[in-house]
Amino acid sequence: MKNPSTDTLKVLFAASEAEPFVKVGGLGDVAGTLPDALVSYFKKTPNLPTLDFRLFIPFHSKIPASKFHIEKLCTIDVPTNRDPIPAHIYLNSDLTYPVYLIAGEPLPADGPVYDPNPVVDGKKFSFFSLAVLEYCRQNTWIPDILHANDWHTALLPHLIRERNEYKDLFSRTKTLLSVHNLPFMGGGSQAGLLEMGIKPSKDFRLPKWSKHMPLPMGLAASDRILAVSPGYAREMLTPEYGCGLDGFLFTVTEKLGGILNGLDTTLWDPSHDPLLVKNYSSYTIAKRAKNKEEILTRLGLEYEPRTPLIIMVTRIDQQKGIDIALKALESIMERKFQLIILGVGDPTLEDACKALEELYPERVRFLQRFDQTLSHQLYSSGDIILIPSRYEPCGLTQMISMRYGCVPVARNTGGLSDTIIDTSPDNGQTGFLFQETTPESCARAIERALNMFINQDIWLRIQKNGMKMDFSWKKSAEKYANEYLSLRKQ
Ligand code: ADP
């Protein structure tokens, strides 16, 4: 334990979703895991300030309030362009850091976390952002660091620089905006922002079409922009991945960086995972076979140890390159392999998965559902996982699969490039990468993996290399802590 420090670092972390309260996607994982890793890092590391970390999330109707101890703190008025709207502030103190939940009329009583109507979400997240700042103002709790995430909370850095009532108060607050997914900028939400009295950005560097979208507004106003992997940070500067903001981002490269997300290594641990038929570690990897045998038998497929099992655990979505994978696999059906796809999403792509299963019922299964248990079992049984994403800001599946000894064949992009090593088995190889978003490029990489699989000695080395990688949140938390500390110094 370190000595208590008199110096305190105040961090306001805002996100639209966070485990264990509400999770729709990867952002919920990050906002649910990074805070605890940060708190623990600051506690255990000598010579760091004391961390006063507070998480703010909207009190979505989807949050099962009865499962948590939630107390009401107060009701405050949030300014709009007409009459103020009351915001009800709640507190949960069950975790290692306080969580503030904000409710009010713009968050519909039975609405989804993300509404299909962007105007509804525009108003909801504008209201949330203003309520956060109003709460801080009224309680004279002014953070040193304001850490926002994606478009939903990107208005926060904009508001503290633009709004007269907050400018002076937050003048010493440094802002950091994490980009989990650049294409989602909050387009179409402008009417919702205007209702809350929020005007477009005046930053001349932003393209005209983007000045009224929350994410670009936040990117322009933030002191630091962090993508969820260094690879994605670099790619955002290119026309292919920059979504029209690459020119703007190029003008602010000095404030752009990337930190890989971590993995919950307690949840994802093959040696203790209660959902597996057989637990194993990198020392007892031979036991994996039992998992493969069980799942293949359960799904009515033949178990034959020398036949590689390719798996996919994924949203069935264009981004994930499902079309590329299916075409690639179809082009090499003369090779020996079995295939199990677990996923839901785009109906057209789902139909294409079904069609492949119907064509090859003796070796292909498409499991059209979201199934946590099955996903764990597949990671522990598959020999190869296919991840042909068109873009991948960070990606969790490759980290999970490597930890479970399932070797990734993946597109060389974003977080996949940063986490998968494709050199040679003796130089720490953990997987196989391909460059082009074409079935041919993907098929060649699958074939490279299938050829390697025949030599089980080498394959074992690749599996073990992956299982030994450190994807823990501890590493990422240290990097975020350094970001906070160096930002505060600026
Ligand atoms: P993204 O967040 O873009 O969907 P990631 O690779 O970052 O992709 O994370 C996907 C997460 O969702 C992983 O934990 C993966 O195991 C899980 N997942 C995806 N599809 C399914 C499914 N059909 N059933 C169970 N888990 C799934």
Side-chain angles (χ1 to χ4, degrees):
M1 280 294 268
K2 62 176 194 152
N3 290 329
S5 164
T6 47
D7 180 19
T8 299
L9 179 75
K10 287 185 266 181
V11 177
L12 186 166
F13 191 98
S16 53
E17 50 175 296
E19 282 264 61
F21 302 96
V22 58
K23 176 187 150 175
V24 177
L27 173 57
D29 282 319
V30 176
T33 331
L34 173 60
D36 185 59
L38 273 165
V39 169
S40 154
Y41 178 76
F42 272 83
K43 252 196 197 136
K44 287 184 187 149
T45 312
N47 304 322
L48 289 186
T50 301
L51 182 66
D52 175 0
F53 184 98
R54 306 187 187 193
L55 171 67
F56 287 77
I57 56 171
F59 203 157
H60 298 286
S61 61
K62 291 274 173 278
I63 294 177
S66 60
K67 271 178 61 182
F68 305 100
H69 298 111
I70 294 177
E71 59 172 306
K72 184 161 180 192
L73 292 183
C74 58
T75 295
I76 56 175
D77 273 343
V78 172
T80 73
N81 66 346
R82 289 200 205 127
D83 295 333
I85 302 178
H88 311 291
I89 317 289
Y90 295 83
L91 175 67
N92 171 272
S93 314
D94 292 344
L95 305 177
T96 52
Y97 48 91
V99 181
Y100 294 82
L101 301 110
I102 296 181
E105 174 267 308
L107 278 101
D110 56 357
V113 175
Y114 302 114
D115 200 281
N117 179 352
V119 178
V120 172
D121 270 2
K123 184 173 176 189
K124 184 199 309 179
F125 293 116
S126 303
F127 167 77
F128 170 73
S129 302
L130 285 164
V132 169
L133 297 181
E134 224 12 65
Y135 179 75
C136 291
R137 189 171 74 85
Q138 293 192 19
N139 287 275
T140 45
W141 186 79
I142 306 302
D144 301 301
I145 304 292
L146 189 163
H147 187 166
N149 291 275
D150 275 353
W151 81 262
H152 326 97
T153 48
L155 289 170
L156 282 160
H158 169 83
L159 289 168
I160 66 166
R161 298 288 179 250
E162 294 297 322
R163 291 278 279 241
N164 287 335
E165 63 265 51
Y166 304 124
K167 261 186 195 168
D168 287 347
L169 200 59
F170 289 88
S171 63
R172 298 184 64 183
T173 300
K174 294 294 186 326
T175 56
L176 190 161
L177 177 55
S178 281
V179 180
H180 301 255
N181 211 333
L182 186 63
F184 295 91
M185 299 187 193
S189 64
Q190 189 180 11
L193 269 60
L194 285 176
E195 251 188 87
M196 295 303 299
I198 300 177
K199 299 202 185 80
S201 171
K202 292 195 240 35
D203 196 303
F204 71 94
R205 298 165 303 180
L206 282 177
K208 202 165 166 217
W209 57 264
S210 72
K211 286 181 197 268
H212 57 268
M213 295 186 186
L215 185 69
M217 288 161 80
L219 293 173
S222 292
D223 298 308
R224 185 90 169 121
I225 300 168
L226 283 178
V228 285
S229 69
Y232 193 52
R234 283 190 298 276
E235 286 175 350
M236 283 176 4
L237 294 167
T238 65
E240 192 184 346
Y241 297 92
C243 307
L245 288 183
D246 40 294
F248 158 73
L249 290 169
F250 200 76
T251 66
V252 294
T253 39
E254 80 290 348
K255 67 176 187 181
L256 180 62
I259 296 180
L260 266 176
N261 286 337
L263 191 66
D264 183 340
T265 45
T266 310
L267 175 73
W268 297 106
D269 176 4
S271 56
H272 291 100
D273 189 333
L275 301 173
L276 305 194
V277 172
K278 195 87 193 161
N279 289 114
Y280 58 93
S281 70
S282 61
Y283 302 104
T284 57
I285 213 165
K287 291 187 189 169
R288 274 187 108 245
K290 205 76 207 134
N291 293 309
K292 180 171 169 183
E293 182 182 8
E294 196 280 331
I295 203 158
L296 288 173
T297 313
R298 193 173 358 136
L299 296 174
L301 294 170
E302 188 194 348
Y303 170 65
E304 202 283 303
R306 282 162 306 178
T307 305
L309 170 62
I310 302 178
I311 63 161
M312 294 180 78
V313 180
T314 177
R315 282 186 286 120
I316 303 291
D317 188 276
Q318 270 290 104
Q319 180 208 331
K320 297 292 180 182
I322 306 298
D323 51 328
I324 298 170
L326 294 178
K327 287 199 189 109
L329 289 161
E330 265 199 289
S331 73
I332 54 165
M333 282 318 267
E334 77 285 357
R335 298 288 308 244
K336 190 163 81 162
F337 66 84
Q338 292 163 310
L339 171 69
I340 303 177
I341 304 173
L342 171 64
V344 272
D346 180 327
T348 313
L349 292 170
E350 283 181 347
D351 285 347
C353 294
K354 266 184 235 158
L356 193 68
E357 180 187 46
E358 277 160 20
L359 218 52
Y360 301 96
E362 73 295 345
R363 54 194 289 211
V364 176
R365 286 291 175 274
F366 172 44
L367 310 167
Q368 189 185 0
R369 55 183 184 269
F370 191 94
D371 188 332
Q372 194 82 15
T373 305
L374 203 50
S375 74
H376 285 242
Q377 292 167 346
L378 281 173
Y379 291 120
S380 71
S381 326
D383 298 297
I384 295 168
I385 184 163
L386 189 52
I387 316 174
S389 306
R390 288 196 158 78
Y391 72 96
E392 195 61 77
C394 178
L396 278 180
T397 45
Q398 82 280 13
M399 297 194 231
I400 302 170
S401 57
M402 282 188 266
R403 213 167 138 68
Y404 278 63
C406 177
V407 176
V409 171
R411 171 102 203 293
N412 192 7
T413 185
L416 298 170
S417 318
D418 288 330
T419 48
I420 299 170
I421 304 167
D422 182 355
T423 49
S424 75
D426 293 328
N427 284 322
Q429 179 174 14
T430 60
F432 301 81
L433 293 168
F434 62 95
Q435 199 61 38
E436 312 296 332
T437 48
T438 60
E440 295 73 30
S441 185
C442 179
R444 275 198 300 277
I446 302 171
E447 290 208 284
R448 274 205 293 141
L450 295 176
N451 293 342
M452 201 75 103
F453 183 80
I454 294 165
N455 188 332
Q456 277 291 300
D457 279 351
I458 295 183
W459 193 258
L460 193 63
R461 239 179 297 159
I462 298 176
Q463 285 180 298
K464 286 191 174 181
N465 288 340
M467 292 182 83
K468 286 183 188 145
M469 300 282 281
D470 178 5
F471 296 122
S472 67
W473 266 111
K474 193 166 161 261
K475 261 174 88 174
S476 317
E478 181 178 350
K479 293 202 167 108
Y480 277 105
N482 289 336
E483 289 285 348
Y484 291 169
L485 293 168
S486 66
L487 259 180
R488 186 174 68 158
K489 265 199 225 136
Q490 282 174 19

